[in-house]
Amino acid sequence: MPAYKDKNGKWIVKYSYKGLDGKFKGVTKRGFETKRDALNWETDAKKKIHGMLDISLESFASQYLKFISNRIKFSTYVTKEAIIKAHIIPYLGRFKVNEITAREIVAWQDEMLKCINKKTNKKFSKAYLRLLQNTLSSIFAYATRYYNLPINPVHVSGSIGGGKDREMMFWTQEQYKKFSEVMMDKPIFYYAFNCLYYLGIREGELLALEESDIDFEKKELSITKTYLRINGKDYINTPKTKKSIRKVSIPDFLCEELKEYLNLEYTKNENNNRIFLIGKTALTKALIKGADKAGLPRIRVHDLRHSHVSLLIELGYSAVAIADRVGHESIDITYRYAHLFPNKQKSIANDLNKIAEDK
């Protein structure tokens, strides 16, 4: 904070910092003869605060987790906490925060690049490596913002990971119909997958649905929440983004199917208002089994959302209209699905030719 003079012509300097107890503390020092003296004192004082980072990254990470616990979604917090405990503390936890440099970060990156995912028996995906790096960077960003750490060493070290590893996959309408037919003997999955494919909603949004979210008169579905299962417990959380809170028009045939489904006895549960009392794992297993039975390529549950978007593009809807329906920004639809939109370049060139010829 800039120094300034008091009414007696002396210089004053004020600044604030956040202590390790999580509380902001204000510092005021008066009586300097010159502005330079005041600013030099402030610089020296902040260096002493920087000495507060003379603690292990493990201890500082605990403080960081405490700080963010009430500032981010619970699901995001759980992910960060798991990454810090499993992939950061074992490698960097013993180092002092103010002594970690890009050299230590690069060594950690090398270890992460060699790690094997126990579930897939493959190296970490590019997307997961990027998540690991971002998590570590956020710890040091907290240190730079509140404890005057001069520089974030993760920024200096360069990045690992990158974009999405897996190519976007989707089923055509004909493929989905084949899949739907083999699912008819499993009503809860048949209706659930129809909602995912024909509404383009996320699986968490589907699993959070209650009967009150369906307006059969207006033929609309209200998306206001999402379902999560963390450490064996069910949670209903706010949607992924503000844009995700939306109304989705339901086609007539699906309205009738949902009425049929809600009349089934096993959809009623006094202790739970969710209409699809299944989890994401059950959806994944049913999708794989149904795809194999129908002789279709395996896709992820989330790929049904991609399938819905590709269907709408094929039907000629704009990126703006599609974005409103699926809860994205239109620019995201344009960027992610650009290869599916019809190429208008030749039409543009032809129209420009006509304009030029008319002159």
Side-chain angles (χ1 to χ4, degrees), residues 3 11-13 32 34-43:
W11 287 88
I12 301 174
V13 66
F32 296 101
T34 67
K35 183 178 182 179
R36 175 175 290 184
D37 290 340
L39 294 178
N40 285 341
W41 183 90
E42 181 184 11
T43 299

Side-chain angles (χ1 to χ4, degrees), residues 249 308-325 333-334 337 340-342 344:
S249 296
H308 180 74
V309 173
S310 67
L311 176 61
L312 296 185
I313 292 172
E314 186 180 340
L315 292 173
Y317 288 96
S318 69
V320 174
I322 296 171
D324 286 342
R325 183 168 179 81
I333 295 295
T334 302
Y337 300 92
L340 298 179
F341 282 96
K344 300 293 186 182

Side-chain angles (χ1 to χ4, degrees), residues 57-228:
L57 183 66
E58 182 174 10
S59 297
F60 189 73
S62 296
Q63 174 62 29
Y64 164 75
L65 286 170
K66 182 179 179 182
F67 172 76
I68 65 171
S69 61
N70 295 318
R71 291 172 168 81
I72 59 176
K73 288 186 177 181
F74 178 64
S75 57
T76 306
Y77 174 84
V78 170
T79 299
K80 282 181 175 287
E81 182 184 39
I83 287 173
I84 289 170
K85 289 182 177 180
H87 302 301
I88 294 177
I89 298 307
Y91 298 91
L92 295 170
R94 70 184 188 280
F95 291 99
K96 292 181 178 180
V97 178
N98 59 4
E99 293 178 352
I100 295 176
T101 67
R103 182 177 61 252
E104 285 76 37
I105 302 299
V106 169
W108 171 80
Q109 290 175 336
D110 290 341
E111 291 298 323
M112 295 303 101
L113 288 166
K114 292 186 292 186
C115 281
I116 300 296
N117 185 322
K118 293 180 181 179
K119 291 183 179 179
T120 64
N121 203 32
K122 295 180 180 179
K123 289 185 177 182
F124 290 158
S125 68
K126 291 179 181 178
Y128 192 65
L129 287 170
R130 187 179 69 250
L131 179 61
L132 297 180
Q133 170 118 343
N134 290 344
T135 302
L136 180 59
S137 182
S138 66
I139 297 174
F140 285 103
Y142 174 64
T144 58
R145 182 173 184 180
Y146 295 111
Y147 298 102
N148 297 304
L149 185 69
I151 194 168
N152 185 332
V154 180
H155 292 170
V156 180
S157 67
S159 61
I160 55 172
K164 297 184 180 297
D165 299 80
R166 184 168 175 174
E167 182 182 354
M168 184 184 298
M169 298 182 68
F170 58 88
W171 282 339
T172 63
Q173 189 176 20
E174 291 73 22
Q175 288 175 312
Y176 180 74
K177 284 182 177 178
K178 286 183 65 176
F179 169 78
S180 184
E181 287 172 3
V182 304
M183 297 304 299
M184 284 184 174
D185 61 341
K186 298 178 176 59
I188 190 168
F189 293 109
Y190 170 80
Y191 292 111
F193 286 129
N194 271 4
C195 287
L196 290 170
Y197 181 79
Y198 288 108
L199 298 176
I201 58 180
R202 300 176 177 92
E203 55 187 312
E205 295 170 346
L206 169 85
L207 298 177
L209 287 178
E210 300 178 4
E211 189 171 350
S212 60
D213 295 319
I214 307 171
D215 188 328
F216 287 108
E217 288 188 10
K218 293 183 179 179
K219 298 177 182 177
E220 280 185 344
L221 187 69
S222 295
I223 302 297
T224 60
K225 51 192 176 295
T226 191
Y227 165 86
L228 302 163

